[in-house]
Structure formats: structure tokens, C-alpha cells
């Protein structure tokens, strides 16, 4: 059952609205399974706070552009809100709300004391100079300043943002506070209080989730990865390091394919030099859509939402889909994959490594200490493996898919927190 919420749905159904519909559908299924009452369902379906801002940006030629920015705190019952900031031309309030909701369930599922949030700016960062990006970032942060803070809401990188963006955010917030506040963002450079192991954390979590779901030695297991950014490139690297054969990867410009296996380190060096996977000499070019239909063991979508749909799901041949991206599979595609026996390790589990190590970074910041990479890696592995085990056993006991089980666990923990706190006043 889907949860009904009042919405300002535009006449055109945007990808963002589709993502929010998917998130509401998943919540509705979990709420039905848990027997939650209507009031609680509606509360969980609606964000606690949403802010839309207009961000003026001075361009290099003196012109001023104005772009839309968003920050949504979906739920703060279990702790401060936590979630990345996305710079992408297609982002809108619906997409940011969906991403914030998924963060709420993800944090509850892996047992870290955060609620869910997300931010976004509808801009193409590749079309801006570094100085324009810095001005945009600082002005956006000023506009959302009342919402964020180390005890309130802690941003992190997402699509189109990185360590440098986090450094500018940390600086802007700190200048306003009058002293350095490293705990206001995670995914920062090491020099500003970042954590060892954060840069590769989401990808490490994807590797742990994929190998847990595989259930046998990874040698020779074939993998295709959609999206070769922060998450996808290192997920491909870590899976290759574990013995898998990564045969295809793509980015926004195209896809490359080498049936004998790609040298992922060499491909990453090519992308660092040229900015794109296309043109890598030891592989053939492949159509974007063909990547989803390859005869591989594991498919890792690591780009954007809504890419595995009812249109291409019947042609997915991978027996395991491990979601590095948030929301890559629509509910219709989920049903088709399940009917075909394809196991989907859902986003809120598979890509939780990022927020887990963000939490570890924040704990180090709040305690003014730093841990070794080994310590961070051990804690990440423990939390990932225990969440995977819980999801797997809940799915088996209750006859659910891994996604349904993950949502049942996450939603039930947030619902319990609401019930225990009670309603004020
Ligand atoms: P990124 O900006 O670093 O990389 C995105 C990649 O996707 C780029 O290589 C881009 O070229 C590619 N891409 C975009 N459109 C594409 C298309 N149509 N086909 C193929 N490739 C395409 O972003 P990221 O941080 O790696 O995030 C990727 C996904 O992982 C997002 O869904 C994000 O929400 C999710 N995620 C990220 C983190 C994190 O720590 N960065 C944590 C959890 C989840």
C-alpha cells in the first residue's frame, strides 16, 4: 500500500517525483507489514522540515545567475539529521525529500543515532569554474545556515560534491560561529578533521554487502558498474581487489567493456587524466543501456535514481544487484527482478558504509580525537555485517525481499522512537 501525502506535484512527473513515489511506496509496504496506524504513517511520510532557497551566483563575466537550493530534514527522532548535498541540474524538492527519507531508514537500519536529511542545488557543477562553485557553495550554506550544525544537521558529499565542497561548508559555518566547527560536515579533508577511511567508505560497504550476498569465493565473479564516480570507481576497485572480474563500467559520457576484465586501477588513472571512461584503450565502447543487460554475476548501479525500470528489468541477467546508488530500482522493476530470482541488496543497506564512516568521523570530531584506518575499517565492517545479517534473517523469517526487510527494520526503529518520545505538546 502506498502512503498518501499532500504534495505539490507538478504537471510533469519529474525523476525526482518518481523517486519520492518509490520511497513512499516502500514506506507504505513496511508500514502495512508493521501495522502502523494512519497518523504515524502520515508522520513518517512527511518531512519534518523542508527549506527551498534561491541562491544568487556571481559568474566570472559579472552576470548573476540564480539557482534553486534545498535542504530537507525528514526525521530527527533518533538524533541529529544527517545527509549529503547533491549538485545536479535535475535535482528538485521531491528528489531531495526521497533521499532524506532513505537516509532516515538507513541510519536506523545500521544502528547509528541520526535522523535523515539531504540537500541539493539544481546546478551542473561541471559548467562552473572553481571560484564560481566556491561562491555558490558558500552562499547556499548561508541560506540554509539556520538548519545545520553539529548537533542539528550534518551534511556530507553526494553526487557532484566532494571534500573541497565540505571544506568550504566547514569554513563558512565556522566563520559565522566565530571558531572552527569541524563536526558540522563529514567527508572533509584530513587536514580539517576528516576521518581516515571516509573517502572509500561507501565503496567498501558496497564490497562488503556484495561479498556477503554472494556467499562464495569471489574469484572470477563478473561485475558491471554503472557510474564511475566517488562510489562506483572504488567499488569496482575493491571488488577487483577481492578477485572479481570487473568487465564493464560507465559514466555519464558512455560505457566501456572488456570481457576478459578491466584493469580498474589503469581505468581510474585514465579517468583522472581525461575526465571520462570513454577512450580507455584496453576496452570496447558499449551503449549505456547495454551495460544493464550484460551476462554478469553482479550489477552495481552507482549513479542516479530510477535506472532499473519495468522497461529494462526483464533483460537484467545479473543474479545479484547491489545498489551503490540511492533509489536506482523502481518498485515495478523490483517485482520483476524478484520474480526472476535476482537478489537485490537494497541501497539503504548496500551503500550505508558512507554514513557509517561519516558517523565515525563526527564522533572523532566531537571527542577531538582521531582513530587509525584499521580501527575505522573494523567498525565499518562490524556495522555492515551485522546489518546485513539482520536483514537477511528478517527476510527469511518473514518471507520478504531484502529491500522489504531492510525497510521493515529501519521504519520500525523510527516508529518505536516516535512512540517512546510521545507527541509534544
Ligand atoms: P559522483 O558525482 O561522484 O559520481 C556519479 C557518477 O555517475 C559519475 O561518474 C557520473 O558520470 C555518473 N553518471 C551520471 N549519470 C549517469 C548515467 N546516466 N549513466 C552512467 N553514469 C552516470 O557521485 P557519488 O558520490 O559517487 O554518488 C553516486 C550514487 O551513490 C548516488 O546515488 C549517491 O546518492 C549514492 N551515494 C553516495 C555516497 C557517497 O558517500 N558519496 C554515499 C551513499 C550513497
Amino acid at each position: 500500500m502506498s502512503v498518501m501525502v499532500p504534495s505539490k506535484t507538478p504537471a510533469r512527473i519529474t525523476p525526482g517525483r518518481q523517486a519520492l513515489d518509490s520511497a513512499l511506496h516502500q514506506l507504505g509496504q513496511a508500514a502495512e507489514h508493521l501495522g502502523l496506524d494512519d497518523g504515524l504513517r502520515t508522520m513518517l511520510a512527511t518531512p519534518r522540515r523542508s527549506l527551498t532557497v534561491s541562491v544568487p551566483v556571481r559568474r566570472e563575466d559579472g552576470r548573476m545567475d540564480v539557482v534553486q537550493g534545498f535542504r530537507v530534514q525528514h526525521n530527527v527522532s533518533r538524533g541529529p539529521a544527517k545527509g549529503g548535498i547533491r549538485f545536479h541540474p535535475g535535482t528538485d524538492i521531491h528528489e531531495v525529500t526521497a533521499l532524506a527519507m532513505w537516509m532516515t531508514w538507513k541510519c536506523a537500519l545500521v544502528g547509528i543515532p541520526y535522523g535523515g536529511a539531504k540537500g541539493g542545488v539544481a546546478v551542473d557543477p561541471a559548467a562552473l569554474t572553481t571560484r564560481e562553485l566556491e561562491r555558490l557553495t558558500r552562499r547556499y550554506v548561508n541560506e540554509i545556515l539556520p538548519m545545520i550544525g553539529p548537533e542539528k544537521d550534518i551534511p556530507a558529499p553526494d553526487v557532484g560534491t566532494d571534500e573541497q565542497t565540505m571544506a568550504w561548508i566547514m569554513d563558512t559555518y565556522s566563520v559565522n560561529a566565530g571558531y572552527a566547527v569541524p563536526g558540522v560536515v563529514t567527508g572533509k579533508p584530513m587536514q580539517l578533521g576528516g576521518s581516515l577511511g571516509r573517502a572509500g567508505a561507501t565503496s567498501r560497504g558496497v564490497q562488503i554487502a556484495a561479498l556477503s550476498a554472494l556467499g562464495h569465493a569471489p574469484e572470477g565473479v563478473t561485475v558491471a558498474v554503472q557510474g564511475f564516480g566517488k562510489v562506483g570507481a572504488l567499488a569496482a576497485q575493491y571488488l577487483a581487489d577481492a578477485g572479481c572480474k570487473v568487465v564493464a563500467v560507465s559514466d555519464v559520457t558512455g560505457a566501456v567493456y572488456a570481457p576478459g576484465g578491466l584493469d580498474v586501477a589503469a581505468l581510474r588513472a585514465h579517468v583522472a587524466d581525461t575526465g571520462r571512461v570513454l577512450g580507455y584503450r584496453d576496452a570496447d565502447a558499449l551503449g549505456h543501456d547495454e551495460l544493464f543487460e550484460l551476462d554478469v554475476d553482479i550489477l552495481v548501479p552507482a549513479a542516479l535514481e530510477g535506472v532499473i525500470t519495468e522497461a529494462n528489468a526483464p533483460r537484467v541477467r545479473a543474479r545479484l544487484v547491489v545498489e551503490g546508488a540511492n533509489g536506482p530500482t523502481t518498485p515495478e522493476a523490483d517485482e520483476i527482478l524478484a520474480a526472476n530470482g535476482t537478489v537485490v541488496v537494497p541501497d539503504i543497506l548496500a551503500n550505508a558504509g558512507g554514513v557509517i564512516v561519516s558517523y565515525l568521523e563526527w564522533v572523532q570530531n566531537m571527542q577531538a580525537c582521531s582513530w587509525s584506518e584499521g580501527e575505522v575499517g573494523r567498525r565499518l565492517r562490524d556495522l555492515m555485517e551485522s546489518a546485513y545479517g539482520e536483514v537477511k534473517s528478517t527476510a527469511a523469517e518473514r518471507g520478504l525481499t531484502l529491500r522489504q526487510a531492510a525497510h521493515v527494520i529501519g521504519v520500525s526503529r523510527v516508529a518505536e522512537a516516535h512512540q517512546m518520545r510521545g507527541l509534544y505538546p
Side-chain angles (χ1 to χ4, degrees):
M1 195 199 94
S2 296
V3 174
M4 297 301 292
V5 282
S7 80
K8 299 183 191 115
T9 308
R12 187 172 64 88
I13 302 293
T14 63
R17 183 65 227 191
Q18 279 168 354
L20 183 53
D21 286 346
S22 295
L24 290 171
H25 174 85
Q26 292 156 359
L27 167 61
Q29 276 194 331
E32 191 69 17
H33 187 87
L34 292 163
L36 302 184
D37 66 48
D38 285 348
L40 197 47
R41 286 181 197 213
T42 306
M43 183 153 181
L44 296 176
T46 40
R48 181 71 176 268
R49 296 187 188 99
S50 296
L51 181 63
T52 299
V53 295
S54 299
V55 186
V57 196
R58 179 76 58 201
R59 305 296 302 267
E60 299 295 9
D61 62 7
R63 268 183 307 132
M64 187 181 70
D65 283 347
V66 180
V67 295
Q68 290 266 284
F70 314 97
R71 185 74 187 170
V72 173
Q73 294 172 354
H74 169 254
N75 191 282
V76 288
S77 293
R78 299 179 60 262
K82 183 88 189 84
I85 290 176
R86 171 171 296 194
F87 287 176
H88 188 277
T91 201
D92 62 19
I93 188 69
H94 303 300
E95 179 186 61
V96 175
T97 304
L99 291 163
M101 189 181 294
W102 284 321
M103 283 301 293
T104 300
W105 318 138
K106 190 183 303 183
C107 293
L109 172 63
V110 298
I112 56 178
Y114 285 141
K118 207 78 182 189
V121 180
V123 72
D124 178 6
L128 299 182
T129 66
T130 303
R131 288 191 308 183
E132 288 169 340
L133 261 183
E134 177 175 355
R135 288 197 287 268
L136 166 80
T137 304
R138 290 182 183 279
R139 185 61 192 248
Y140 164 68
V141 171
N142 255 293
E143 300 295 341
I144 65 164
L145 208 60
M147 281 179 93
I148 64 170
E151 274 109 14
K152 293 197 283 190
D153 180 355
I154 306 119
D158 191 74
V159 172
T161 56
D162 58 15
E163 281 194 352
Q164 179 59 75
T165 326
M166 297 306 114
W168 290 328
I169 297 176
M170 183 266 187
D171 183 67
T172 306
Y173 187 89
S174 298
V175 167
N176 275 279
Y179 51 92
V181 188
V184 67
V185 280
T186 57
K188 300 176 288 294
M190 285 303 298
Q191 297 88 330
L192 297 177
S195 176
L196 289 166
R198 173 61 183 90
T202 310
S203 316
R204 182 65 72 195
V206 168
Q207 181 213 36
I208 294 168
L211 298 185
S212 303
L214 196 60
H216 62 75
E219 274 66 34
V221 164
T222 52
V223 180
V225 181
Q226 187 224 16
F228 205 65
K230 296 185 296 297
V231 175
L234 282 177
Q237 183 70 66
Y238 297 153
L239 287 166
D241 293 348
C244 297
K245 193 160 72 168
V246 178
V247 296
V249 305
S250 67
D251 64 15
V252 71
T253 66
V256 291
Y257 176 52
L262 293 158
D263 178 342
V264 179
L267 180 56
R268 285 173 55 219
H270 166 83
V271 172
D273 282 349
T274 67
R276 44 168 45 198
V277 297
L278 282 181
Y280 176 62
R281 65 180 188 288
D282 293 325
D284 299 323
L286 188 75
H288 261 135
D289 298 342
E290 290 173 89
L291 181 132
F292 292 102
E293 299 168 16
L294 289 175
D295 189 8
V296 289
D297 298 304
I298 305 179
L299 175 62
V300 181
L304 295 170
E305 304 92 63
V307 295
I308 305 180
T309 64
E310 60 191 322
N312 62 4
R315 296 192 296 278
V316 169
R317 287 195 277 172
R319 59 189 182 80
L320 198 54
V321 173
V322 183
E323 295 183 334
N326 287 304
T329 311
T330 65
E332 298 78 19
D334 246 347
E335 280 181 26
I336 295 167
L337 294 176
N340 290 346
T342 301
V343 173
V344 179
V345 186
D347 45 12
I348 62 170
L349 174 61
N351 70 34
V355 74
I356 289 173
V357 179
S358 273
Y359 163 65
L360 300 178
E361 178 177 329
W362 178 78
V363 171
Q364 291 170 77
N365 294 156
M366 300 309 259
Q367 298 183 357
C369 69
S370 58
W371 297 334
S372 69
E373 191 157 6
E375 175 71 24
V376 171
R378 267 189 300 282
R379 289 173 186 255
L380 166 63
R381 182 169 292 279
D382 281 355
L383 286 170
M384 281 299 300
E385 288 181 347
S386 96
Y388 182 82
E390 272 186 276
V391 170
K392 187 148 190 226
S393 57
T394 302
E397 280 159 21
R398 301 189 181 209
L400 301 173
T401 64
L402 295 182
R403 187 186 316 281
Q404 290 164 340
H407 276 82
V408 162
I409 297 170
V411 170
S412 70
R413 287 182 181 160
V414 179
E416 278 163 20
H418 269 297
Q419 281 157 340
M420 285 174 182
R421 285 180 61 160
L423 193 59
Y424 174 86

